[in-house]
Amino acid sequence: MIIDSHAHVSDVQFDNDRNEVLNRAFENGLKYILEVGCEPPMWDKVAELSKHKKIFSMFGLHPQDADKWSDELFAKLKSLLNDKKCVAVGEIGLDYHYEGYSAEKQKDIFVRQIELALEINKPICVHCRDAYDDMVSIFKNFKTLPKGVIHCFSGSWEQAKVVLDMDFLIGIDGPCTYPKSNKLKKVIENTPLDKLLVETDCPYLAPQKYRGTRNEPAYVIETAKKIAEIKNISFEEVCRQTTENVCRLYNLQTV
């Protein structure tokens, strides 16, 4: 058993064969898929998809959509987060990669969603791209933080250690399988297995074996295999422990 802890199967790229993709995932041993709704136009589609008995959801506003924040949007988000299949607030965070962003707006909306997670007692799934220092500064301003994961971690081991010390987990995706991903491989090597989650972030970031094609939940197995290779442990141990980690973080046993 293994869990894809971060997927976007609601994406338009799966509109023609979504059921086949899901069947392939579960036939390949996936226990659950965690489906992420971080764009308001997709929220309803994610909620519908999570009616599947093996799919759970999370909802949030992606930092690249921070300027869409409104009282009406906030009310709908709160309603979605109260769904029994929703396990987290996410993905939320900061993204300074593309031009035209407002760092202050992103930080404001990030803080509001962390506060919301604390209010409803749910974990957070954090997106951070080219904004590591601001993310950490925001975390340090909170006396208490929600549990959570830094999704699709792309920083250094030194940066990973800081968020691990804050009790966050680290999400590992397909890029760990790329030949030049030495920085990420060092993070995996040094991070305790009970602090790692495996993700696809599909349809993006397909592992090396499928690079250049659409990613899908079944391919999370390739990430687990690479973690096992890097840490010199069995594939089965990676599957067992990362599954336990997801269930612990998102309280899946009692949902």
Side-chain angles (χ1 to χ4, degrees):
M1 288 291 187
I2 191 169
I3 296 174
D4 181 358
S5 64
H6 193 111
H8 300 276
V9 185
S10 52
D11 189 275
V12 65
Q13 292 190 47
F14 295 106
D15 281 355
N16 292 329
D17 63 346
R18 187 169 289 106
N19 287 336
E20 290 90 336
V21 167
L22 294 175
N23 289 338
R24 193 152 52 239
F26 299 126
E27 287 168 1
N28 276 276
L30 269 71
K31 181 179 178 70
Y32 299 129
I33 295 170
L34 272 58
E35 178 69 8
V36 180
C38 57
E39 301 173 64
M42 301 298 293
W43 283 352
D44 289 340
K45 197 172 180 181
V46 170
E48 183 65 27
L49 190 61
S50 70
K51 291 178 181 178
H52 189 292
K53 65 180 181 179
K54 291 186 176 182
I55 299 176
F56 292 87
S57 64
M58 63 181 77
F59 296 96
L61 189 65
H62 193 282
Q64 290 176 335
D65 289 328
D67 60 350
K68 297 178 182 176
W69 186 267
S70 66
D71 290 343
E72 182 181 359
L73 203 68
F74 180 64
K76 180 169 185 179
L77 177 58
K78 286 191 74 171
S79 174
L80 289 165
L81 290 169
N82 284 322
D83 186 273
K84 66 180 182 178
K85 291 296 291 292
C86 177
V87 298
V89 181
E91 62 191 275
I92 62 175
L94 304 172
D95 192 321
Y96 298 168
H97 186 69
Y98 296 105
E99 294 182 1
Y101 66 88
S102 167
E104 293 309 309
K105 184 68 172 178
Q106 286 193 18
K107 288 188 281 188
D108 177 49
I109 301 308
F110 186 26
V111 167
R112 292 192 192 196
Q113 291 182 96
I114 295 173
E115 291 171 343
L116 178 57
L118 289 167
E119 177 187 330
I120 64 176
N121 193 30
K122 286 192 175 179
I124 56 175
C125 175
V126 179
H127 171 107
C128 181
R129 193 177 188 191
D130 298 340
Y132 177 85
D133 290 341
D134 279 357
M135 177 189 72
V136 170
S137 293
I138 287 171
F139 289 158
K140 287 181 176 178
N141 285 332
F142 280 86
K143 184 176 180 180
T144 303
L145 281 166
K147 297 188 298 181
V149 58
I150 310 302
H151 147 69
C152 194
F153 191 82
S154 59
S156 66
W157 163 240
E158 289 73 23
Q159 291 173 326
K161 192 174 185 306
V162 172
V163 292
L164 287 167
D165 288 343
M166 292 179 168
D167 210 26
F168 283 97
L169 276 66
I170 300 290
I172 303 297
D173 299 59
C176 76
T177 65
Y178 300 168
K180 296 181 180 180
S181 61
N182 294 327
K183 184 171 68 170
L184 183 53
K185 288 169 183 169
K186 184 176 180 180
V187 170
I188 293 168
E189 181 180 357
N190 287 286
T191 302
L193 186 59
D194 66 357
K195 294 291 187 179
L196 293 177
L197 301 186
V198 288
E199 315 173 331
T200 60
D201 201 23
C202 66
Y204 317 106
L205 302 177
Q208 184 65 27
K209 183 176 179 179
Y210 304 101
R211 199 167 181 180
T213 68
R214 181 191 68 179
N215 201 2
E216 62 177 78
Y219 299 170
V220 76
I221 291 169
E222 298 302 315
T223 296
K225 287 178 180 177
K226 178 55 70 169
I227 292 173
E229 177 188 319
I230 292 168
K231 298 183 83 65
N232 195 27
I233 56 178
S234 70
F235 168 72
E236 291 76 16
E237 174 64 9
V238 173
C239 293
R240 184 198 65 78
Q241 185 64 62
T242 57
T243 296
E244 184 178 307
N245 298 345
V246 178
C247 291
R248 182 180 71 249
L249 175 62
Y250 293 127
N251 200 28
L252 293 185
Q253 305 96 320
T254 60
V255 173

